[in-house]
Amino acid sequence: LKFKYKIGIIVVVSTICLIVAGITSFFYLSESNKMLDDMYDNQLIPVRTVEEIQNNVTSGNLLAIRIITEKNHDKQLKLKDELAGFSGDTSKLFNSLNSFKTDEETEQFIKNVLEDRETYKAERAKVLDIAYFGNNDEAMNQYMKTVEPLVKKYRNDCDKLIEIYMNKAKAANE
């Protein structure tokens, strides 16, 4: 009877220890999962979004150059419509960045990037107007002088934004 009693106590204590270990593991695993989800949703998805914005900037920039070098006005207008599509997509992507949790510094940086984008688009529009009137050489010169530096700044701003989100993801991981 004593041996059975001792075995029973060992089994009960072992069962209680396993249950406690299981509950503790489940709790910490759930917390870890929440942190990973937050990191993915609020730091890594925005990185992908900003990369898509950069891709649209590059594509839009190439379209602008094609418009400037194109001599046929009808083709220029088709390219202009295509460019407007990229611009609309980029606007949607920027709007989606607002749905992610960020701090004030990041929000302010996004506002600055949007202001740079508007400046870039306005200058690009002026240059494209010159091209639409058949002054392709003048448009290209003006593009290289005024728009290209803005494109570089816009891309650099996007790179900095990616770096901000990546640093936040690293910090959340630590």
Side-chain angles (χ1 to χ4, degrees), residues 60-154:
N61 201 34
L62 291 173
L63 279 172
I65 291 172
R66 285 181 58 199
I67 291 169
I68 291 169
T69 57
E70 180 59 56
K71 303 285 186 195
N72 184 314
H73 189 68
D74 291 334
K75 287 183 182 178
Q76 282 181 328
L77 293 177
K78 285 182 184 179
L79 293 170
K80 181 182 178 184
D81 290 341
E82 199 174 331
L83 182 60
F86 278 109
S87 185
D89 290 346
T90 303
S91 294
K92 289 177 188 173
L93 290 169
F94 268 113
N95 288 336
S96 74
L97 281 179
N98 293 328
S99 67
F100 303 112
K101 287 190 272 181
T102 59
D103 55 15
E104 279 187 42
E105 180 184 347
T106 306
E107 284 180 23
Q108 185 58 46
F109 193 78
I110 291 171
K111 286 179 185 176
N112 292 344
V113 173
L114 286 170
E115 289 171 8
D116 290 346
R117 178 176 183 250
E118 291 306 314
T119 304
Y120 157 70
K121 284 173 50 179
E123 290 299 317
R124 183 183 68 192
K126 290 177 190 175
V127 169
L128 293 179
D129 284 341
I130 295 170
Y132 295 142
F133 289 110
N135 299 327
N136 299 69
D137 291 336
E138 182 183 341
M140 184 56 83
N141 289 335
Q142 194 69 15
Y143 176 86
M144 296 307 289
K145 188 170 120 184
T146 60
V147 178
E148 187 62 29
L150 294 172
V151 171
K152 287 178 183 175
K153 183 174 185 336
Y154 187 22

